[in-house]
Short mmCIF file of all heavy atoms in Angstrom, two decimals:
data_model
loop_
_atom_site.label_atom_id
_atom_site.label_comp_id
_atom_site.label_asym_id
_atom_site.label_seq_id
_atom_site.Cartn_x
_atom_site.Cartn_y
_atom_site.Cartn_z
N PRO D 400 -23.00 -6.67 -8.21
CA PRO D 400 -23.09 -5.79 -9.38
C PRO D 400 -23.12 -4.30 -9.01
O PRO D 400 -23.87 -3.53 -9.61
CB PRO D 400 -24.41 -6.23 -10.01
CG PRO D 400 -25.25 -6.63 -8.83
CD PRO D 400 -24.32 -7.12 -7.76
N HIS D 401 -22.32 -3.90 -8.02
CA HIS D 401 -22.38 -2.52 -7.56
C HIS D 401 -21.12 -1.76 -7.90
O HIS D 401 -20.04 -2.33 -7.97
CB HIS D 401 -22.59 -2.48 -6.04
CG HIS D 401 -23.69 -3.38 -5.59
ND1 HIS D 401 -24.99 -3.19 -5.97
CD2 HIS D 401 -23.68 -4.51 -4.83
CE1 HIS D 401 -25.74 -4.15 -5.45
NE2 HIS D 401 -24.97 -4.96 -4.76
N GLY D 402 -21.27 -0.45 -8.06
CA GLY D 402 -20.12 0.41 -8.27
C GLY D 402 -19.83 0.67 -9.74
O GLY D 402 -20.66 0.34 -10.62
N MET D 403 -18.68 1.25 -10.01
CA MET D 403 -18.36 1.66 -11.39
C MET D 403 -16.86 1.86 -11.59
O MET D 403 -16.11 1.93 -10.61
CB MET D 403 -19.04 3.00 -11.68
CG MET D 403 -18.50 4.12 -10.79
SD MET D 403 -18.97 5.73 -11.38
CE MET D 403 -20.34 6.05 -10.33
N VAL D 404 -16.48 1.95 -12.86
CA VAL D 404 -15.13 2.36 -13.22
C VAL D 404 -15.25 3.71 -13.91
O VAL D 404 -16.13 3.90 -14.75
CB VAL D 404 -14.46 1.36 -14.19
CG1 VAL D 404 -13.11 1.88 -14.65
CG2 VAL D 404 -14.30 -0.01 -13.53
N LYS D 405 -14.37 4.62 -13.54
CA LYS D 405 -14.37 5.94 -14.19
C LYS D 405 -12.97 6.17 -14.75
O LYS D 405 -11.98 6.02 -14.03
CB LYS D 405 -14.71 7.00 -13.14
CG LYS D 405 -14.55 8.43 -13.60
CD LYS D 405 -15.09 9.36 -12.53
CE LYS D 405 -14.87 10.81 -12.89
NZ LYS D 405 -15.43 11.71 -11.87
N MET D 406 -12.92 6.52 -16.03
CA MET D 406 -11.62 6.79 -16.64
C MET D 406 -11.56 8.25 -17.08
O MET D 406 -12.52 8.78 -17.65
CB MET D 406 -11.42 5.87 -17.85
CG MET D 406 -10.02 5.96 -18.44
SD MET D 406 -9.76 4.78 -19.77
CE MET D 406 -9.67 3.24 -18.88
N LEU D 407 -10.42 8.87 -16.83
CA LEU D 407 -10.22 10.27 -17.24
C LEU D 407 -9.04 10.30 -18.21
O LEU D 407 -7.98 9.72 -17.93
CB LEU D 407 -9.89 11.12 -16.01
CG LEU D 407 -10.99 11.16 -14.94
CD1 LEU D 407 -10.45 11.64 -13.61
CD2 LEU D 407 -12.15 12.05 -15.39
N ALA D 408 -9.26 10.93 -19.36
CA ALA D 408 -8.20 10.98 -20.37
C ALA D 408 -8.03 12.42 -20.84
O ALA D 408 -8.98 13.22 -20.77
CB ALA D 408 -8.55 10.08 -21.54
N HIS D 409 -6.83 12.74 -21.33
CA HIS D 409 -6.58 14.10 -21.81
C HIS D 409 -7.46 14.37 -23.04
O HIS D 409 -7.55 13.53 -23.95
CB HIS D 409 -5.11 14.27 -22.17
CG HIS D 409 -4.71 15.70 -22.31
ND1 HIS D 409 -5.03 16.45 -23.41
CD2 HIS D 409 -4.04 16.51 -21.47
CE1 HIS D 409 -4.56 17.69 -23.25
NE2 HIS D 409 -3.96 17.74 -22.07
N LYS D 410 -8.09 15.53 -23.06
CA LYS D 410 -9.04 15.84 -24.13
C LYS D 410 -8.37 15.84 -25.51
O LYS D 410 -8.99 15.40 -26.49
CB LYS D 410 -9.66 17.21 -23.85
CG LYS D 410 -10.90 17.46 -24.63
CD LYS D 410 -11.69 18.60 -24.11
CE LYS D 410 -12.98 18.60 -24.86
NZ LYS D 410 -13.62 19.77 -25.09
N ASP D 411 -7.13 16.29 -25.59
CA ASP D 411 -6.48 16.40 -26.90
C ASP D 411 -5.64 15.18 -27.23
O ASP D 411 -5.67 14.67 -28.36
CB ASP D 411 -5.60 17.66 -26.94
CG ASP D 411 -6.39 18.89 -26.52
OD1 ASP D 411 -7.58 18.96 -26.90
OD2 ASP D 411 -5.84 19.75 -25.80
N THR D 412 -4.84 14.70 -26.27
CA THR D 412 -3.91 13.60 -26.58
C THR D 412 -4.52 12.23 -26.31
O THR D 412 -3.97 11.22 -26.73
CB THR D 412 -2.64 13.71 -25.71
OG1 THR D 412 -3.01 13.48 -24.35
CG2 THR D 412 -1.98 15.07 -25.84
N ASP D 413 -5.61 12.17 -25.56
CA ASP D 413 -6.28 10.92 -25.19
C ASP D 413 -5.49 10.11 -24.14
O ASP D 413 -5.89 9.00 -23.78
CB ASP D 413 -6.51 10.06 -26.46
CG ASP D 413 -7.57 8.98 -26.26
OD1 ASP D 413 -8.54 9.25 -25.54
OD2 ASP D 413 -7.41 7.88 -26.81
N GLU D 414 -4.36 10.65 -23.64
CA GLU D 414 -3.58 9.91 -22.63
C GLU D 414 -4.43 9.72 -21.36
O GLU D 414 -5.12 10.65 -20.92
CB GLU D 414 -2.30 10.67 -22.27
CG GLU D 414 -1.47 9.92 -21.24
CD GLU D 414 -0.12 10.57 -20.95
OE1 GLU D 414 0.29 11.49 -21.70
OE2 GLU D 414 0.53 10.14 -19.97
N ILE D 415 -4.36 8.52 -20.80
CA ILE D 415 -5.12 8.25 -19.57
C ILE D 415 -4.48 9.02 -18.42
O ILE D 415 -3.26 8.93 -18.19
CB ILE D 415 -5.15 6.74 -19.25
CG1 ILE D 415 -5.80 5.98 -20.41
CG2 ILE D 415 -5.91 6.48 -17.95
CD1 ILE D 415 -5.65 4.48 -20.31
N LEU D 416 -5.29 9.77 -17.70
CA LEU D 416 -4.77 10.61 -16.60
C LEU D 416 -5.17 10.09 -15.23
O LEU D 416 -4.56 10.44 -14.23
CB LEU D 416 -5.28 12.05 -16.77
CG LEU D 416 -4.92 12.72 -18.10
CD1 LEU D 416 -5.64 14.06 -18.23
CD2 LEU D 416 -3.42 12.92 -18.20
N GLY D 417 -6.20 9.27 -15.20
CA GLY D 417 -6.64 8.71 -13.92
C GLY D 417 -7.69 7.64 -14.14
O GLY D 417 -8.47 7.72 -15.09
N VAL D 418 -7.65 6.60 -13.30
CA VAL D 418 -8.69 5.58 -13.33
C VAL D 418 -9.15 5.35 -11.90
O VAL D 418 -8.32 5.20 -11.00
CB VAL D 418 -8.18 4.26 -13.97
CG1 VAL D 418 -9.27 3.19 -13.92
CG2 VAL D 418 -7.74 4.50 -15.41
N HIS D 419 -10.46 5.36 -11.71
CA HIS D 419 -11.04 5.32 -10.36
C HIS D 419 -12.12 4.24 -10.34
O HIS D 419 -13.00 4.23 -11.19
CB HIS D 419 -11.64 6.69 -10.02
CG HIS D 419 -10.63 7.79 -10.20
ND1 HIS D 419 -9.82 8.21 -9.18
CD2 HIS D 419 -10.25 8.50 -11.31
CE1 HIS D 419 -9.00 9.14 -9.63
NE2 HIS D 419 -9.24 9.34 -10.92
N ILE D 420 -12.00 3.36 -9.36
CA ILE D 420 -12.93 2.22 -9.32
C ILE D 420 -13.55 2.08 -7.94
O ILE D 420 -12.85 2.18 -6.93
CB ILE D 420 -12.18 0.89 -9.63
CG1 ILE D 420 -11.34 1.01 -10.91
CG2 ILE D 420 -13.14 -0.28 -9.73
CD1 ILE D 420 -10.48 -0.23 -11.23
N VAL D 421 -14.84 1.85 -7.92
CA VAL D 421 -15.48 1.33 -6.72
C VAL D 421 -16.26 0.13 -7.21
O VAL D 421 -17.08 0.23 -8.12
CB VAL D 421 -16.37 2.37 -5.98
CG1 VAL D 421 -17.38 3.05 -6.88
CG2 VAL D 421 -17.08 1.72 -4.80
N GLY D 422 -15.94 -1.06 -6.65
CA GLY D 422 -16.61 -2.25 -7.14
C GLY D 422 -15.88 -3.50 -6.73
O GLY D 422 -14.83 -3.43 -6.08
N PRO D 423 -16.40 -4.66 -7.15
CA PRO D 423 -15.79 -5.93 -6.75
C PRO D 423 -14.37 -6.07 -7.31
O PRO D 423 -14.12 -5.73 -8.47
CB PRO D 423 -16.72 -6.99 -7.38
CG PRO D 423 -17.43 -6.27 -8.47
CD PRO D 423 -17.57 -4.86 -8.03
N MET D 424 -13.46 -6.55 -6.47
CA MET D 424 -12.06 -6.79 -6.86
C MET D 424 -11.37 -5.57 -7.47
O MET D 424 -10.47 -5.70 -8.30
CB MET D 424 -11.97 -7.96 -7.86
CG MET D 424 -12.62 -9.24 -7.40
SD MET D 424 -11.94 -9.85 -5.85
CE MET D 424 -10.56 -10.76 -6.44
N ALA D 425 -11.79 -4.39 -7.02
CA ALA D 425 -11.15 -3.17 -7.54
C ALA D 425 -9.64 -3.22 -7.29
O ALA D 425 -8.85 -2.72 -8.10
CB ALA D 425 -11.76 -1.95 -6.85
N SER D 426 -9.24 -3.85 -6.19
CA SER D 426 -7.81 -3.94 -5.84
C SER D 426 -7.02 -4.67 -6.92
O SER D 426 -5.84 -4.38 -7.15
CB SER D 426 -7.63 -4.65 -4.50
OG SER D 426 -8.19 -5.95 -4.55
N GLU D 427 -7.64 -5.64 -7.56
CA GLU D 427 -6.96 -6.40 -8.61
C GLU D 427 -7.11 -5.70 -9.96
O GLU D 427 -6.19 -5.64 -10.76
CB GLU D 427 -7.54 -7.82 -8.71
CG GLU D 427 -7.45 -8.62 -7.42
CD GLU D 427 -6.02 -8.94 -7.00
OE1 GLU D 427 -5.15 -9.02 -7.88
OE2 GLU D 427 -5.78 -9.09 -5.79
#
Side-chain angles (χ1 to χ4, degrees):
H401 312 296
M403 64 166 99
V404 174
K405 171 173 176 178
M406 188 175 288
L407 299 162
H409 196 284
K410 196 165 188 211
D411 307 322
T412 67
D413 199 36
E414 181 174 349
I415 300 170
L416 302 172
V418 177
H419 306 269
I420 309 175
V421 52
M424 306 302 275
S426 58
E427 302 294 333

